Amino acid sequence: LQALKRKPDLFLCSNLDVKAVFQCGVLSLKFPEAPTVKASCGFFTELLPRCGEIAPVGQVVHENGKALLQAVLEGIGGQASRSLMDHFAEILFVLNKHCFSLLSVW
């Protein structure tokens, strides 16, 4: 998360598998440990606003965003601790703000 904040063009590295990083983040949202879920939520709140400016991120969000939305809704629906709801809500807010057309399709 800190690396993404300081160097967002990290996702432009040719040898970085953005899809794998994204999928790991989605899986981490389902972990039972609150600090892991909180960190994953922070990752997505930093990543999603860049989907328009960094093409590899935009492509991965376009192709895999539905899985992210599903994981967030499952967490809100009871899979995650109630103390994490604000973090999941932040992802929904960022999706709505930066990926609205995709969000309405998903």
Side-chain angles (χ1 to χ4, degrees):
L1 176 61
Q2 293 302 321
L4 183 57
K5 283 183 181 179
R6 291 188 185 133
K7 193 165 172 50
D9 58 342
L10 177 72
F11 285 94
L12 295 175
C13 296
S14 61
N15 59 351
L16 177 69
D17 188 346
V18 179
K19 182 177 179 180
V21 172
F22 188 91
Q23 290 176 333
C24 285
V26 171
L27 288 174
S28 297
L29 291 173
K30 299 178 181 189
F31 277 31
E33 297 86 10
T36 303
V37 176
K38 186 176 175 181
S40 297
C41 289
F43 168 75
F44 283 113
T45 58
E46 288 295 321
L47 178 75
L48 293 170
R50 290 167 173 76
C51 67
E53 62 193 51
I54 301 175
V57 173
Q59 182 178 349
V60 168
V61 171
H62 183 267
E63 294 170 359
N64 300 281
K66 186 175 180 179
L68 171 61
L69 179 61
Q70 183 176 352
V72 169
L73 293 177
E74 287 172 358
I76 291 171
Q79 186 176 9
S81 167
R82 300 209 37 89
S83 65
L84 296 168
M85 292 305 114
D86 287 346
H87 301 286
F88 282 110
E90 188 66 27
I91 294 176
L92 286 177
F93 175 76
V94 174
L95 279 170
N96 190 49
K97 186 174 180 179
H98 297 279
C99 310
F100 181 76
S101 60
L102 294 172
L103 183 60
S104 60
V105 171
W106 299 326

